[in-house]
Amino acid sequence: MRHSCIFAVVSLALVNLGGCGLEDTGPSALNPATNVDPVFSSFTLTEQTDTTLFHDLSLAVEPATSGDTRASAMARDIRVQLATFLDISYNDATPPAITSVRNPLDLMRRVIGENEIANFVEARQYISARIDAGEAGEYSNTTNDVSVRFTDQGAFDEGLPLADYEWRYPIVKWVYTPDTSDRVTRVFTWASSGTFPAGSTRPSATLGTEFEPRDFLATGYNDQARLHSEGSIVIVGEREMAFVREYDGLNIDTINIDGTSIGTENGTAAGPEFPFANEKVDCLKIRMHYAEKRVEVFTSLDQPPRVEDPDNPRTLMANPDYCLNRDTATHSYQTTDTGLRT
């Protein structure tokens, strides 16, 4: 399982915050996190789907030439993979638009962006005040030992399993570090409730996002301040999707889909197979260049992430034939102009 680099940045930031004397700077510096336990009629989002996490990517992968059947198959199955990990439904338009999503990353992004949770609004007001003061600050449920739990009343009433109606977020935090990165970093994680077979990976999700402090607002989605985001989603079946999204000038998305650590026997075996563009693969990397209107696709099959180093027997090295390690794309194609992130 891959881990977000933003977690390392936030961990370092918290070490630095520890030496800032926050406890001595008055009530304005106190971490305002409290227990958050709202009940929703449903976790499924059907309105404002243009605010969902991968709305831009799902449109941008459409080929520039409708007659390019190979590119059309890749675009179709890029959307299929996004739907597999994020429970996305599409309409029949060309290119297909998102009609609904049901996943913990989009739900948390929605409740934050629509100012639906009072304590999260307070969190951003607090961070905004710290920015104005030029002083470090942190909102963190873990630091205050408080919990964040969402409940889907409709799923509960239907008698669905615990994992379907109770979503817990072990980490929800905003950190502002003017003396180091000079960024606002927001991180949240989700871990599936319920029990899972021994030796399996519990489904989980993470999203870390960096914001430019001068453009950071206490309300709304804050996309105008967004510089970089990355995260991962693990689903049942030992499959994982990791992503990095660059907004500051580069406008590039990279999506990596392969097996978990358990699914690849700690990187020594190929992961679970899945269909992609009328072929079987077990590793898929997608790189979307928005400014160039170009998609690069990297695939491999029956290649483990690591292999024995021929120069150092019994020592493992990164497998150059594994799709995530490749520099040269297996396929590429030009995409239609969506007007998004150009």
Short mmCIF file of all heavy atoms in Angstrom, two decimals, residues 247-305:
data_model
loop_
_atom_site.label_atom_id
_atom_site.label_comp_id
_atom_site.label_asym_id
_atom_site.label_seq_id
_atom_site.Cartn_x
_atom_site.Cartn_y
_atom_site.Cartn_z
N TYR A 247 -2.05 21.26 -9.77
CA TYR A 247 -2.87 22.36 -10.28
C TYR A 247 -2.07 23.62 -10.54
O TYR A 247 -2.51 24.50 -11.27
CB TYR A 247 -3.98 22.70 -9.28
CG TYR A 247 -4.87 21.54 -8.94
CD1 TYR A 247 -4.60 20.74 -7.84
CD2 TYR A 247 -5.98 21.23 -9.72
CE1 TYR A 247 -5.41 19.66 -7.51
CE2 TYR A 247 -6.79 20.17 -9.41
CZ TYR A 247 -6.51 19.38 -8.31
OH TYR A 247 -7.30 18.32 -7.99
N ASP A 248 -0.90 23.73 -9.97
CA ASP A 248 -0.13 24.98 -10.00
C ASP A 248 0.75 25.02 -11.24
O ASP A 248 1.92 24.67 -11.21
CB ASP A 248 0.74 25.09 -8.74
CG ASP A 248 1.45 26.43 -8.65
OD1 ASP A 248 0.98 27.39 -9.28
OD2 ASP A 248 2.47 26.51 -7.94
N GLY A 249 0.18 25.43 -12.39
CA GLY A 249 0.94 25.55 -13.62
C GLY A 249 1.04 24.26 -14.41
O GLY A 249 0.84 24.25 -15.62
N LEU A 250 1.33 23.13 -13.76
CA LEU A 250 1.52 21.87 -14.47
C LEU A 250 0.21 21.30 -15.01
O LEU A 250 0.14 20.83 -16.14
CB LEU A 250 2.19 20.84 -13.55
CG LEU A 250 3.61 21.17 -13.10
CD1 LEU A 250 4.09 20.11 -12.09
CD2 LEU A 250 4.56 21.23 -14.29
N ASN A 251 -0.84 21.32 -14.20
CA ASN A 251 -2.13 20.77 -14.59
C ASN A 251 -2.01 19.35 -15.14
O ASN A 251 -2.37 19.06 -16.28
CB ASN A 251 -2.84 21.68 -15.59
CG ASN A 251 -3.51 22.85 -14.90
OD1 ASN A 251 -4.00 22.72 -13.78
ND2 ASN A 251 -3.54 23.99 -15.57
N ILE A 252 -1.45 18.48 -14.32
CA ILE A 252 -1.25 17.08 -14.69
C ILE A 252 -1.85 16.19 -13.60
O ILE A 252 -1.65 16.44 -12.41
CB ILE A 252 0.24 16.76 -14.86
CG1 ILE A 252 0.84 17.55 -16.04
CG2 ILE A 252 0.47 15.26 -15.06
CD1 ILE A 252 2.33 17.39 -16.17
N ASP A 253 -2.57 15.16 -14.02
CA ASP A 253 -3.05 14.12 -13.10
C ASP A 253 -2.31 12.83 -13.40
O ASP A 253 -2.13 12.46 -14.57
CB ASP A 253 -4.55 13.85 -13.30
CG ASP A 253 -5.43 14.96 -12.77
OD1 ASP A 253 -4.92 15.81 -12.02
OD2 ASP A 253 -6.62 14.97 -13.12
N THR A 254 -1.90 12.13 -12.35
CA THR A 254 -1.34 10.79 -12.50
C THR A 254 -2.14 9.84 -11.62
O THR A 254 -2.29 10.07 -10.42
CB THR A 254 0.15 10.75 -12.09
OG1 THR A 254 0.88 11.67 -12.89
CG2 THR A 254 0.72 9.35 -12.30
N ILE A 255 -2.67 8.78 -12.23
CA ILE A 255 -3.47 7.78 -11.54
C ILE A 255 -2.74 6.44 -11.64
O ILE A 255 -2.42 5.99 -12.75
CB ILE A 255 -4.87 7.64 -12.18
CG1 ILE A 255 -5.53 9.00 -12.39
CG2 ILE A 255 -5.73 6.69 -11.35
CD1 ILE A 255 -5.95 9.69 -11.14
N ASN A 256 -2.46 5.81 -10.51
CA ASN A 256 -1.81 4.50 -10.48
C ASN A 256 -2.77 3.47 -9.90
O ASN A 256 -3.29 3.66 -8.80
CB ASN A 256 -0.56 4.54 -9.60
CG ASN A 256 0.52 5.47 -10.15
OD1 ASN A 256 0.60 5.70 -11.35
ND2 ASN A 256 1.34 5.99 -9.27
N ILE A 257 -2.99 2.38 -10.64
CA ILE A 257 -3.90 1.34 -10.20
C ILE A 257 -3.17 0.00 -10.24
O ILE A 257 -2.68 -0.42 -11.30
CB ILE A 257 -5.16 1.28 -11.09
CG1 ILE A 257 -5.92 2.61 -11.01
CG2 ILE A 257 -6.06 0.12 -10.67
CD1 ILE A 257 -7.09 2.71 -11.97
N ASP A 258 -3.07 -0.65 -9.10
CA ASP A 258 -2.44 -1.97 -9.03
C ASP A 258 -2.90 -2.68 -7.77
O ASP A 258 -3.94 -2.32 -7.19
CB ASP A 258 -0.91 -1.85 -9.11
CG ASP A 258 -0.29 -1.09 -7.95
OD1 ASP A 258 -1.05 -0.47 -7.17
OD2 ASP A 258 0.94 -1.09 -7.82
N GLY A 259 -2.16 -3.69 -7.33
CA GLY A 259 -2.54 -4.44 -6.15
C GLY A 259 -1.99 -3.84 -4.88
O GLY A 259 -0.99 -3.10 -4.90
N THR A 260 -2.62 -4.14 -3.77
CA THR A 260 -2.12 -3.73 -2.47
C THR A 260 -0.85 -4.50 -2.13
O THR A 260 -0.44 -5.42 -2.86
CB THR A 260 -3.16 -4.00 -1.38
OG1 THR A 260 -3.39 -5.41 -1.31
CG2 THR A 260 -4.47 -3.28 -1.67
N SER A 261 -0.26 -4.18 -1.01
CA SER A 261 0.91 -4.92 -0.56
C SER A 261 0.58 -6.40 -0.39
O SER A 261 1.33 -7.27 -0.82
CB SER A 261 1.43 -4.34 0.76
OG SER A 261 2.54 -5.06 1.24
N ILE A 262 -0.58 -6.67 0.23
CA ILE A 262 -1.00 -8.07 0.38
C ILE A 262 -1.30 -8.68 -0.98
O ILE A 262 -0.94 -9.83 -1.26
CB ILE A 262 -2.22 -8.16 1.32
CG1 ILE A 262 -1.80 -7.84 2.76
CG2 ILE A 262 -2.87 -9.54 1.25
CD1 ILE A 262 -2.96 -7.79 3.74
N GLY A 263 -1.95 -7.92 -1.85
CA GLY A 263 -2.32 -8.42 -3.17
C GLY A 263 -1.14 -8.72 -4.07
O GLY A 263 -1.27 -9.48 -5.04
N THR A 264 0.02 -8.13 -3.77
CA THR A 264 1.22 -8.39 -4.55
C THR A 264 2.29 -9.12 -3.74
O THR A 264 3.46 -9.14 -4.14
CB THR A 264 1.82 -7.07 -5.10
OG1 THR A 264 2.17 -6.22 -3.98
CG2 THR A 264 0.85 -6.34 -6.01
N GLU A 265 1.86 -9.72 -2.62
CA GLU A 265 2.79 -10.45 -1.76
C GLU A 265 4.02 -9.59 -1.42
O GLU A 265 5.16 -9.96 -1.66
CB GLU A 265 3.21 -11.78 -2.39
CG GLU A 265 2.06 -12.73 -2.62
CD GLU A 265 2.47 -14.03 -3.27
OE1 GLU A 265 3.69 -14.34 -3.27
OE2 GLU A 265 1.58 -14.74 -3.78
N ASN A 266 3.69 -8.41 -0.88
CA ASN A 266 4.73 -7.43 -0.51
C ASN A 266 5.59 -7.02 -1.69
O ASN A 266 6.80 -6.78 -1.55
CB ASN A 266 5.60 -7.96 0.63
CG ASN A 266 4.84 -8.05 1.93
OD1 ASN A 266 4.08 -7.15 2.28
ND2 ASN A 266 5.02 -9.16 2.65
N GLY A 267 4.94 -6.91 -2.85
CA GLY A 267 5.65 -6.41 -4.03
C GLY A 267 6.43 -7.44 -4.81
O GLY A 267 7.16 -7.09 -5.73
N THR A 268 6.26 -8.72 -4.49
CA THR A 268 7.05 -9.76 -5.15
C THR A 268 6.24 -10.57 -6.16
O THR A 268 6.78 -11.48 -6.81
CB THR A 268 7.65 -10.73 -4.12
OG1 THR A 268 6.59 -11.38 -3.41
CG2 THR A 268 8.55 -9.97 -3.15
N ALA A 269 4.95 -10.27 -6.31
CA ALA A 269 4.10 -11.01 -7.25
C ALA A 269 3.19 -10.02 -7.97
O ALA A 269 2.97 -8.89 -7.52
CB ALA A 269 3.27 -12.06 -6.51
N ALA A 270 2.68 -10.46 -9.12
CA ALA A 270 1.72 -9.63 -9.85
C ALA A 270 0.43 -9.51 -9.06
O ALA A 270 0.06 -10.41 -8.30
CB ALA A 270 1.45 -10.24 -11.22
N GLY A 271 -0.26 -8.41 -9.23
CA GLY A 271 -1.49 -8.16 -8.50
C GLY A 271 -2.72 -8.72 -9.21
O GLY A 271 -2.61 -9.40 -10.24
N PRO A 272 -3.91 -8.42 -8.67
CA PRO A 272 -5.16 -8.91 -9.28
C PRO A 272 -5.34 -8.37 -10.70
O PRO A 272 -5.10 -7.19 -10.96
CB PRO A 272 -6.25 -8.37 -8.34
CG PRO A 272 -5.54 -8.07 -7.06
CD PRO A 272 -4.16 -7.67 -7.43
N GLU A 273 -5.79 -9.24 -11.60
CA GLU A 273 -6.02 -8.83 -12.99
C GLU A 273 -7.36 -8.11 -13.13
O GLU A 273 -8.29 -8.34 -12.36
CB GLU A 273 -6.01 -10.06 -13.91
CG GLU A 273 -4.66 -10.73 -14.04
CD GLU A 273 -4.70 -11.89 -15.03
OE1 GLU A 273 -5.78 -12.14 -15.63
OE2 GLU A 273 -3.66 -12.56 -15.20
N PHE A 274 -7.45 -7.25 -14.14
CA PHE A 274 -8.70 -6.58 -14.47
C PHE A 274 -8.67 -6.21 -15.95
O PHE A 274 -7.59 -6.06 -16.55
CB PHE A 274 -8.93 -5.34 -13.60
CG PHE A 274 -7.82 -4.32 -13.62
CD1 PHE A 274 -7.87 -3.24 -14.49
CD2 PHE A 274 -6.73 -4.43 -12.76
CE1 PHE A 274 -6.86 -2.29 -14.51
CE2 PHE A 274 -5.72 -3.49 -12.77
CZ PHE A 274 -5.79 -2.42 -13.65
N PRO A 275 -9.83 -6.08 -16.59
CA PRO A 275 -9.86 -5.74 -18.02
C PRO A 275 -9.62 -4.25 -18.24
O PRO A 275 -10.07 -3.41 -17.47
CB PRO A 275 -11.27 -6.14 -18.45
CG PRO A 275 -12.09 -6.01 -17.21
CD PRO A 275 -11.18 -6.36 -16.06
N PHE A 276 -8.90 -3.96 -19.32
CA PHE A 276 -8.70 -2.57 -19.71
C PHE A 276 -8.50 -2.50 -21.21
O PHE A 276 -7.59 -3.12 -21.75
CB PHE A 276 -7.49 -1.95 -19.00
CG PHE A 276 -7.27 -0.50 -19.36
CD1 PHE A 276 -8.05 0.49 -18.78
CD2 PHE A 276 -6.32 -0.14 -20.31
CE1 PHE A 276 -7.89 1.81 -19.13
CE2 PHE A 276 -6.15 1.19 -20.66
CZ PHE A 276 -6.94 2.17 -20.07
N ALA A 277 -9.37 -1.75 -21.89
CA ALA A 277 -9.30 -1.55 -23.34
C ALA A 277 -9.18 -2.88 -24.07
O ALA A 277 -8.32 -3.08 -24.94
CB ALA A 277 -8.15 -0.62 -23.70
N ASN A 278 -10.06 -3.81 -23.68
CA ASN A 278 -10.17 -5.12 -24.33
C ASN A 278 -8.95 -6.01 -24.13
O ASN A 278 -8.71 -6.94 -24.91
CB ASN A 278 -10.46 -4.96 -25.83
CG ASN A 278 -11.69 -4.11 -26.09
OD1 ASN A 278 -12.73 -4.28 -25.43
ND2 ASN A 278 -11.60 -3.17 -27.02
N GLU A 279 -8.17 -5.73 -23.09
CA GLU A 279 -7.04 -6.57 -22.73
C GLU A 279 -7.11 -6.86 -21.24
O GLU A 279 -7.86 -6.23 -20.50
CB GLU A 279 -5.70 -5.88 -23.05
CG GLU A 279 -5.47 -5.61 -24.51
CD GLU A 279 -4.13 -4.92 -24.76
OE1 GLU A 279 -3.40 -4.65 -23.78
OE2 GLU A 279 -3.81 -4.66 -25.93
N LYS A 280 -6.28 -7.81 -20.79
CA LYS A 280 -6.12 -8.05 -19.37
C LYS A 280 -4.84 -7.37 -18.90
O LYS A 280 -3.80 -7.47 -19.56
CB LYS A 280 -6.04 -9.55 -19.07
CG LYS A 280 -7.37 -10.26 -19.09
CD LYS A 280 -7.22 -11.70 -18.63
CE LYS A 280 -8.57 -12.40 -18.58
NZ LYS A 280 -8.40 -13.82 -18.14
N VAL A 281 -4.93 -6.67 -17.77
CA VAL A 281 -3.76 -6.03 -17.17
C VAL A 281 -3.84 -6.25 -15.66
O VAL A 281 -4.88 -6.66 -15.13
CB VAL A 281 -3.71 -4.52 -17.47
CG1 VAL A 281 -3.72 -4.25 -18.98
CG2 VAL A 281 -4.86 -3.77 -16.81
N ASP A 282 -2.74 -6.02 -14.97
CA ASP A 282 -2.79 -6.01 -13.50
C ASP A 282 -2.13 -4.76 -12.94
O ASP A 282 -2.03 -4.60 -11.72
CB ASP A 282 -2.17 -7.27 -12.90
CG ASP A 282 -0.77 -7.56 -13.40
OD1 ASP A 282 0.01 -6.60 -13.56
OD2 ASP A 282 -0.44 -8.74 -13.63
N CYS A 283 -1.67 -3.89 -13.83
CA CYS A 283 -1.07 -2.62 -13.44
C CYS A 283 -1.41 -1.59 -14.49
O CYS A 283 -1.25 -1.85 -15.70
CB CYS A 283 0.45 -2.79 -13.30
SG CYS A 283 1.34 -1.28 -12.82
N LEU A 284 -1.88 -0.44 -14.04
CA LEU A 284 -2.30 0.61 -14.97
C LEU A 284 -1.89 1.97 -14.42
O LEU A 284 -2.16 2.28 -13.26
CB LEU A 284 -3.83 0.58 -15.14
CG LEU A 284 -4.49 1.72 -15.90
CD1 LEU A 284 -4.06 1.74 -17.36
CD2 LEU A 284 -6.02 1.61 -15.80
N LYS A 285 -1.21 2.75 -15.25
CA LYS A 285 -0.88 4.14 -14.90
C LYS A 285 -1.44 5.05 -15.98
O LYS A 285 -1.26 4.79 -17.17
CB LYS A 285 0.63 4.34 -14.77
CG LYS A 285 1.03 5.78 -14.47
CD LYS A 285 2.48 5.90 -14.00
CE LYS A 285 3.47 5.59 -15.09
NZ LYS A 285 4.88 5.86 -14.65
N ILE A 286 -2.14 6.08 -15.55
CA ILE A 286 -2.74 7.05 -16.47
C ILE A 286 -2.16 8.42 -16.15
O ILE A 286 -2.14 8.84 -14.99
CB ILE A 286 -4.27 7.10 -16.30
CG1 ILE A 286 -4.88 5.71 -16.49
CG2 ILE A 286 -4.89 8.12 -17.24
CD1 ILE A 286 -6.10 5.49 -15.65
N ARG A 287 -1.69 9.11 -17.16
CA ARG A 287 -1.20 10.47 -16.95
C ARG A 287 -1.94 11.40 -17.90
O ARG A 287 -1.84 11.27 -19.11
CB ARG A 287 0.31 10.54 -17.18
CG ARG A 287 0.90 11.93 -16.88
CD ARG A 287 2.41 11.89 -16.91
NE ARG A 287 2.95 11.10 -15.80
CZ ARG A 287 4.03 10.33 -15.89
NH1 ARG A 287 4.68 10.22 -17.02
NH2 ARG A 287 4.44 9.66 -14.84
N MET A 288 -2.69 12.33 -17.32
CA MET A 288 -3.47 13.28 -18.09
C MET A 288 -2.76 14.62 -18.12
O MET A 288 -2.54 15.24 -17.08
CB MET A 288 -4.87 13.44 -17.47
CG MET A 288 -5.75 14.48 -18.16
SD MET A 288 -6.29 13.98 -19.79
CE MET A 288 -6.29 15.57 -20.65
N HIS A 289 -2.39 15.07 -19.33
CA HIS A 289 -1.77 16.38 -19.52
C HIS A 289 -2.85 17.32 -20.02
O HIS A 289 -3.20 17.32 -21.21
CB HIS A 289 -0.63 16.29 -20.54
CG HIS A 289 0.47 15.35 -20.18
ND1 HIS A 289 1.64 15.76 -19.58
CD2 HIS A 289 0.58 14.00 -20.33
CE1 HIS A 289 2.43 14.72 -19.38
NE2 HIS A 289 1.81 13.64 -19.83
N TYR A 290 -3.40 18.13 -19.12
CA TYR A 290 -4.53 18.98 -19.50
C TYR A 290 -4.13 20.04 -20.53
O TYR A 290 -4.85 20.26 -21.51
CB TYR A 290 -5.12 19.65 -18.26
CG TYR A 290 -5.89 18.71 -17.37
CD1 TYR A 290 -5.25 18.00 -16.36
CD2 TYR A 290 -7.26 18.52 -17.54
CE1 TYR A 290 -5.95 17.12 -15.55
CE2 TYR A 290 -7.97 17.64 -16.73
CZ TYR A 290 -7.31 16.95 -15.74
OH TYR A 290 -8.01 16.07 -14.94
N ALA A 291 -3.02 20.71 -20.33
CA ALA A 291 -2.62 21.78 -21.24
C ALA A 291 -2.33 21.25 -22.64
O ALA A 291 -2.65 21.90 -23.65
CB ALA A 291 -1.40 22.51 -20.69
N GLU A 292 -1.74 20.06 -22.72
CA GLU A 292 -1.41 19.46 -24.01
C GLU A 292 -2.56 18.66 -24.59
O GLU A 292 -2.48 18.18 -25.72
CB GLU A 292 -0.20 18.54 -23.86
CG GLU A 292 1.05 19.25 -23.37
CD GLU A 292 2.17 18.27 -23.06
OE1 GLU A 292 2.12 17.13 -23.57
OE2 GLU A 292 3.09 18.65 -22.31
N LYS A 293 -3.62 18.48 -23.81
CA LYS A 293 -4.78 17.68 -24.23
C LYS A 293 -4.32 16.30 -24.70
O LYS A 293 -4.63 15.85 -25.81
CB LYS A 293 -5.58 18.40 -25.32
CG LYS A 293 -6.08 19.77 -24.91
CD LYS A 293 -6.81 20.47 -26.06
CE LYS A 293 -7.26 21.85 -25.65
NZ LYS A 293 -6.13 22.74 -25.31
N ARG A 294 -3.61 15.62 -23.81
CA ARG A 294 -3.02 14.34 -24.16
C ARG A 294 -3.05 13.40 -22.96
O ARG A 294 -2.80 13.81 -21.84
CB ARG A 294 -1.57 14.55 -24.62
CG ARG A 294 -0.82 13.27 -24.99
CD ARG A 294 0.50 13.63 -25.69
NE ARG A 294 1.32 14.49 -24.86
CZ ARG A 294 2.24 14.04 -23.99
NH1 ARG A 294 2.43 12.75 -23.84
NH2 ARG A 294 2.97 14.90 -23.28
N VAL A 295 -3.39 12.14 -23.24
CA VAL A 295 -3.38 11.10 -22.22
C VAL A 295 -2.28 10.10 -22.54
O VAL A 295 -2.12 9.68 -23.69
CB VAL A 295 -4.73 10.35 -22.18
CG1 VAL A 295 -4.64 9.11 -21.27
CG2 VAL A 295 -5.84 11.25 -21.68
N GLU A 296 -1.50 9.74 -21.52
CA GLU A 296 -0.54 8.66 -21.63
C GLU A 296 -1.03 7.49 -20.78
O GLU A 296 -1.47 7.69 -19.65
CB GLU A 296 0.84 9.09 -21.14
CG GLU A 296 1.50 10.16 -22.00
CD GLU A 296 2.85 10.57 -21.44
OE1 GLU A 296 2.90 10.89 -20.23
OE2 GLU A 296 3.83 10.56 -22.19
N VAL A 297 -0.93 6.29 -21.32
CA VAL A 297 -1.38 5.09 -20.63
C VAL A 297 -0.22 4.11 -20.55
O VAL A 297 0.44 3.83 -21.55
CB VAL A 297 -2.58 4.44 -21.36
CG1 VAL A 297 -2.96 3.13 -20.68
CG2 VAL A 297 -3.76 5.40 -21.39
N PHE A 298 0.04 3.59 -19.34
CA PHE A 298 1.10 2.63 -19.11
C PHE A 298 0.44 1.36 -18.54
O PHE A 298 -0.32 1.45 -17.57
CB PHE A 298 2.11 3.15 -18.08
CG PHE A 298 2.70 4.51 -18.39
CD1 PHE A 298 1.94 5.67 -18.27
CD2 PHE A 298 4.02 4.63 -18.79
CE1 PHE A 298 2.48 6.92 -18.52
CE2 PHE A 298 4.59 5.87 -19.04
CZ PHE A 298 3.82 7.01 -18.92
N THR A 299 0.71 0.20 -19.11
CA THR A 299 0.13 -1.04 -18.61
C THR A 299 1.19 -2.13 -18.51
O THR A 299 2.23 -2.07 -19.17
CB THR A 299 -1.00 -1.54 -19.54
OG1 THR A 299 -0.45 -1.84 -20.83
CG2 THR A 299 -2.11 -0.53 -19.68
N SER A 300 0.90 -3.11 -17.67
CA SER A 300 1.73 -4.32 -17.63
C SER A 300 0.87 -5.45 -17.12
O SER A 300 -0.20 -5.25 -16.52
CB SER A 300 2.98 -4.13 -16.75
OG SER A 300 2.65 -3.86 -15.41
N LEU A 301 1.33 -6.67 -17.35
CA LEU A 301 0.63 -7.89 -16.94
C LEU A 301 1.66 -8.92 -16.52
O LEU A 301 2.69 -9.11 -17.19
CB LEU A 301 -0.21 -8.44 -18.10
CG LEU A 301 -0.97 -9.75 -17.84
CD1 LEU A 301 -2.04 -9.56 -16.77
CD2 LEU A 301 -1.59 -10.28 -19.13
N ASP A 302 1.38 -9.57 -15.40
CA ASP A 302 2.25 -10.63 -14.87
C ASP A 302 3.65 -10.13 -14.54
O ASP A 302 4.63 -10.88 -14.64
CB ASP A 302 2.34 -11.81 -15.86
CG ASP A 302 1.01 -12.51 -16.04
OD1 ASP A 302 0.21 -12.51 -15.08
OD2 ASP A 302 0.76 -13.07 -17.13
N GLN A 303 3.75 -8.86 -14.15
CA GLN A 303 5.02 -8.29 -13.72
C GLN A 303 4.89 -7.85 -12.27
O GLN A 303 4.01 -7.04 -11.95
CB GLN A 303 5.41 -7.10 -14.60
CG GLN A 303 5.71 -7.42 -16.04
CD GLN A 303 7.03 -8.16 -16.19
OE1 GLN A 303 7.89 -8.13 -15.31
NE2 GLN A 303 7.18 -8.84 -17.33
N PRO A 304 5.73 -8.36 -11.37
CA PRO A 304 5.68 -7.92 -9.98
C PRO A 304 6.30 -6.53 -9.83
O PRO A 304 7.13 -6.13 -10.65
CB PRO A 304 6.50 -8.98 -9.24
CG PRO A 304 7.48 -9.44 -10.26
CD PRO A 304 6.75 -9.40 -11.58
N PRO A 305 5.95 -5.79 -8.78
CA PRO A 305 6.57 -4.48 -8.57
C PRO A 305 8.08 -4.56 -8.37
O PRO A 305 8.81 -3.65 -8.76
CB PRO A 305 5.88 -3.96 -7.31
CG PRO A 305 4.57 -4.69 -7.27
CD PRO A 305 4.86 -6.05 -7.82
#
